[in-house]
Amino acid sequence: MDKILRIDMGADGGPKITETPLGDYAGLGGRAMTTTVVSREVPPLCHPLSAENKLVIAPGLLSGTIAAMSGRLSVGCKSPLTGGIKESNSGGQAAQVLARLGYAAIILEGKPKTDDIYKILIDKNGVKIVIDNSLKMLPNYDLVTKIRSEFGDKIACMSIGPAGEMMMNIASIACTDMELRPTRHAGRGGVGAVMGSKRVKAIVLDDSGMPMRTPKDPVKFKAANKVFTEGLLKHPVTGQALPAYGTNVLTNILNEAGGYPTNNFKEGRFAGAAKISGEAQAELEVKRGGLATHGCHRGCVIRCSGIYNDKDGHFLSKQPEYETVWSHGGHCGIDDLDSIAMLDFLDDNYGVDTIEMGVTIGVAMDAGLAKFGDAEAAINLVKEVGKGSPLGRILGSGAGVTGRVYGVERVPVVKNQAMPAYDPRAVKGIGVTYATSTMGADHTAGYCIATNILKVGGFVDPLKPEGQIELSRNLQIATAAIDSTGMCLFIAFAILDQPETFQALLDLLNSFYGLSLTGDSVVELGKKVLSTERDFNTRAGFTAMHDRLPRYFSTEPVAPHNVTFGVKDEDLDKVFAW
Amino acid sequence: MQITIKLFAMLKNGRFDSAQRECPDNTTIQDILNGLAIPVSEAAIIFVNGRHANPEDDLHHADTVSIFPPIGGG
Ligand code: SF4
């Protein structure tokens, strides 16, 4: 991982490839890489779909090594959805393969002047860029089948579906999993639209003939990986609950806690929760010959995912994540897992963010476009997005735009990005993260659910404002650092509770790069990433007023606890005052 | 007094999803756990009527106790 690949898609005479050494970007991975490049090279006031925006794709510092969990990918740009900086994170095979091919980042720049669409092939022999208009408007599954017939099975593929080609604000970038299905997405913030604006349909990565990356101190590295893996397997969350039930194990607990947003954030409990819970989902998957435990990339030992088959035992989608089950489920009043899995498949196939898509449908239901609970109507609305009809274009612009177009008063967005599956009134820590994150409403940016609800890393009462600012700050810092390593964020459950597992993570980084990082250096890295992102957003026009939840969360209490958000504005302004 | 008990994830295996129990006054959550042979370490997250509670807390008539093992997601 000692070079950067730049592709100027707008160069005269066709795309121009440049490979450069890391230079100033040495030592950066994942989110630290994408954020630093975007912050330095993208004019903050540019239009996100213009030639001036750049799409930065970066594996993590430890991607492409034998380290467990190291295969997460960061995709950065100026977001068409939020207008601020974006790092969207994805599983799948791409990060491992890209790292083994030696690239610390791919930077797509410029914009072609014609309507042709391109595929990019990167293998041990170098980079090839080809016009392939036969791929135009193919959904992701069909696209990957075609790519596979051309390049075989030993590849990883990153692609956009029709939503990306139409440059919709909610378009994702799909990454193939171990079975070469386009099921893992850099979903949030419309990164797929930026790829679409560069007219790049697919990036095919083939690391055949490339070795594993080798650490500076292989003996120490191997030993650290052993301790790290053991720590993950020993912790009850990463060793048992996540493998057994997946992320959707959260449905029941958020529902019990009264923090499960129902029918577009009107209530905190959903009568149909048990029917779409992780427990019900895992049982059904096993019964139908799917899988309740499955990894999204090689080297994952937690394996929180699964395979969801239809009632005839045929593959329907990967196991929909908690956020997806919620956004299409309780948020829309839908309590049928088969419909939710179908929506998950359609989202992946058209290439849209499942959170933004589901929240948008709930907002559309609030506007009267469909009835809450009508699964068939929800499926038809998503199909409109795939078709690109005028209605589909509106929905494909996200919850914020849809709410405006249809005159909806209550639209759960921050910085125009839809809130995920936790009501910020009943889980106040996550409300602080939604409000202040550089990304817009994003649960992963500082996952206070861990400490507010799950009692991981201590306990801070979710119903009281006290302690939430500090909790969110610390988790946002830790997350920015973990996102730079390429590690799956779920390692946090184990490293928050087990000091020896955190030390093993440091040992992995230190023995690989010959560094002597401490816990403090990790905090410094996290702060630096966040400060860089805040600075970009400030230059893009964001102020303290953008670090707020929509007003109704402060004025309208949510049942069953009948609470409003209640964290003071002046306290929100202290999150980044370190 | 009457108490509703709800069990989740692995805890319901071999037990039940939801049950109503008649309990003497002054019953604590710990008493419920003992009755169900659930070690405290496995009852990582406990809610009474949707609010976090601890094993030593007393229960009251018509309370709903929801018990979860250590879980996580996101
Ligand atoms: S724990 Fe889940 S999200 Fe994380 S790497 Fe494994 S399968 Fe992917």
Side-chain angles (χ1 to χ4, degrees):
Chain A
M1 260 179 38
D2 54 1
K3 53 189 173 179
I4 289 178
L5 170 63
R6 283 177 193 270
I7 304 177
D8 179 0
M9 294 302 299
D12 290 335
K16 183 166 161 263
I17 300 165
T18 324
E19 279 191 11
T20 54
L22 296 178
D24 282 356
Y25 298 128
L28 301 175
R31 180 169 167 188
M33 174 66 89
T34 61
T35 285
T36 309
V37 174
V38 171
S39 154
R40 282 197 201 170
E41 300 189 14
V42 175
L45 295 175
C46 77
H47 191 286
L49 302 176
S50 69
E52 284 185 310
N53 200 4
K54 300 190 182 192
L55 188 75
V56 187
I57 301 167
L61 285 172
L62 291 171
S63 302
T65 73
I66 58 156
M69 315 303 305
S70 61
R72 301 287 303 191
L73 185 77
S74 291
V75 180
C77 58
K78 173 168 171 166
S79 163
L81 185 72
T82 68
I85 198 164
K86 178 56 63 182
E87 185 260 0
S88 192
N89 199 280
S90 177
Q93 286 288 102
Q96 304 284 36
V97 175
L98 190 56
R100 255 169 242 154
L101 283 163
Y103 295 104
I106 302 178
I107 306 177
L108 299 182
E109 314 178 330
K111 188 172 171 173
K113 288 162 197 79
T114 68
D115 275 346
D116 292 324
I117 60 168
Y118 292 83
K119 70 184 174 210
I120 299 174
L121 171 70
I122 307 174
D123 64 13
K124 65 176 191 303
N125 301 317
V127 183
K128 260 198 233 128
I129 307 177
V130 198
I131 292 177
D132 187 348
N133 289 322
S134 75
L135 305 179
K136 261 191 185 168
M137 292 307 266
L138 282 186
N140 280 313
Y141 275 84
D142 304 81
L143 173 80
V144 169
T145 305
K146 200 153 189 280
I147 294 280
R148 202 174 173 157
S149 67
E150 189 177 352
F151 297 102
D153 287 347
K154 305 254 177 309
I155 52 160
C157 185
M158 297 177 64
S159 61
I160 54 169
E165 283 188 63
M166 291 186 274
M167 292 175 274
M168 290 178 174
N169 280 351
I170 70 170
S172 63
I173 297 175
C175 298
T176 48
D177 58 17
M178 291 192 286
E179 288 75 28
L180 254 178
R181 289 174 175 141
T183 58
R184 308 290 147 183
H185 290 241
R188 306 234 67 192
V191 291
V194 177
M195 188 154 148
S197 74
K198 313 281 182 215
R199 308 270 192 271
V200 175
K201 178 72 174 170
I203 303 174
V204 183
L205 305 164
D206 181 350
D207 65 352
S208 307
M210 299 299 291
M212 251 336 157
R213 293 175 62 211
T214 41
K216 279 235 160 90
D217 186 336
V219 177
K220 275 207 185 124
F221 188 72
K222 212 171 154 198
N225 193 38
K226 187 159 179 269
V227 178
F228 185 62
T229 306
E230 281 167 2
L232 295 172
L233 295 177
K234 178 175 85 182
H235 193 278
V237 171
T238 46
Q240 288 166 27
L242 275 171
Y245 300 110
T247 53
N248 193 20
V249 72
L250 291 179
T251 294
N252 277 326
I253 196 162
L254 265 302
N255 198 53
E256 287 303 310
Y260 187 82
T262 301
N263 295 355
N264 193 24
F265 290 76
K266 287 198 193 63
E267 287 163 60
R269 281 208 180 123
F270 178 45
K275 278 179 73 184
I276 58 171
S277 65
E279 289 92 326
Q281 189 178 25
E283 198 183 308
L284 194 64
E285 283 166 348
V286 172
K287 196 171 103 193
R288 290 177 174 179
L291 283 173
T293 306
H294 184 255
C296 74
H297 71 270
R298 258 177 223 113
C300 167
V301 298
I302 301 176
R303 299 185 302 153
C304 77
S305 191
I307 303 287
Y308 191 100
N309 286 348
D310 65 15
K311 58 182 179 351
D312 301 321
H314 301 122
F315 177 87
L316 177 53
S317 201
K318 94 283 191 184
Q319 171 177 294
E321 304 291 348
Y322 167 62
E323 309 296 331
T324 309
V325 174
W326 162 78
S327 69
H328 294 302
H331 176 68
C332 294
I334 292 171
D335 64 1
D336 173 46
L337 277 174
D338 283 340
S339 303
I340 292 167
M342 173 54 83
L343 287 160
D344 184 68
F345 167 78
L346 291 172
D347 290 350
D348 284 356
N349 207 24
Y350 300 144
V352 295
D353 175 25
T354 60
I355 296 176
E356 194 72 38
M357 187 73 260
V359 173
T360 302
I361 296 171
V363 169
M365 285 174 162
D366 229 351
L369 263 67
K371 287 205 168 59
F372 282 104
D374 187 342
E376 204 184 310
I379 288 170
N380 287 333
L381 288 177
V382 175
K383 287 185 175 165
E384 291 299 313
V385 175
K387 279 190 264 180
S389 67
L391 170 60
R393 296 268 184 164
I394 293 169
L395 300 171
S397 303
V401 167
T402 300
R404 281 190 174 224
V405 171
Y406 288 99
V408 180
E409 187 190 335
R410 294 171 190 83
V411 182
V413 295
V414 180
K415 301 182 179 77
N416 201 41
Q417 179 168 289
M419 281 183 199
Y422 318 87
D423 196 299
R425 291 164 287 195
V427 196
K428 298 185 195 299
I430 204 70
V432 174
T433 298
Y434 289 166
T436 59
S437 165
T438 50
M439 299 292 145
D442 177 344
H443 61 300
T444 64
Y447 194 61
C448 297
I449 306 306
T451 312
N452 275 172
I453 299 289
L454 307 170
K455 292 195 167 178
V456 172
F459 176 62
V460 175
D461 190 336
L463 295 166
K464 298 195 178 124
E466 291 77 35
Q468 310 295 358
I469 297 292
E470 199 183 7
L471 177 64
S472 176
R473 174 192 301 134
N474 291 339
L475 287 171
Q476 290 197 55
I477 292 169
T479 303
I482 292 175
D483 284 345
S484 304
T485 62
M487 290 288 171
C488 172
L489 193 53
F490 291 157
I491 67 167
F493 291 112
I495 64 175
L496 282 170
D497 277 345
Q498 297 169 181
E500 74 280 10
T501 312
F502 179 54
Q503 186 56 49
L505 174 64
L506 294 177
D507 292 344
L508 278 168
L509 287 161
N510 288 338
S511 57
F512 194 89
Y513 286 99
L515 302 169
S516 44
L517 301 174
T518 61
D520 288 347
S521 352
V522 171
V523 171
E524 283 318 306
L525 168 65
K527 285 182 179 171
K528 198 166 167 206
V529 170
L530 290 173
S531 299
T532 307
E533 292 171 352
R534 295 269 300 171
D535 172 63
F536 182 92
N537 281 357
T538 304
R539 290 184 286 131
F542 284 78
T543 66
M545 295 312 118
H546 296 93
D547 289 342
R548 302 287 183 263
L549 300 182
R551 177 87 182 134
Y552 69 99
F553 289 100
S554 300
T555 56
E556 297 179 7
V558 70
H561 298 301
N562 297 317
V563 279
T564 55
F565 179 48
V567 177
K568 293 199 194 90
D569 288 352
E570 59 260 38
D571 290 334
L572 291 174
D573 294 338
K574 290 183 195 143
V575 169
F576 300 98
W578 46 65
Chain B
M1 61 182 183
Q2 203 173 51
I3 304 292
T4 303
I5 305 167
K6 293 166 93 174
L7 302 178
F8 296 93
M10 300 84 164
L11 293 181
K12 62 182 189 172
N13 297 345
R15 297 190 183 94
F16 53 82
D17 291 4
S18 176
Q20 304 238 324
R21 292 281 158 93
E22 200 55 50
C23 301
D25 287 356
N26 303 327
T27 297
T28 63
I29 297 171
Q30 184 67 60
D31 297 329
I32 301 281
L33 295 177
N34 293 347
L36 294 168
I38 298 175
V40 169
S41 62
E42 283 178 28
I45 310 154
I46 304 168
F47 294 99
V48 174
N49 306 328
R51 289 175 187 268
H52 283 87
N54 296 307
E56 61 276 13
D57 293 347
D58 286 333
L59 292 168
H60 302 95
H61 179 64
D63 277 350
T64 296
V65 192
S66 311
I67 308 171
F68 291 82
I71 59 170

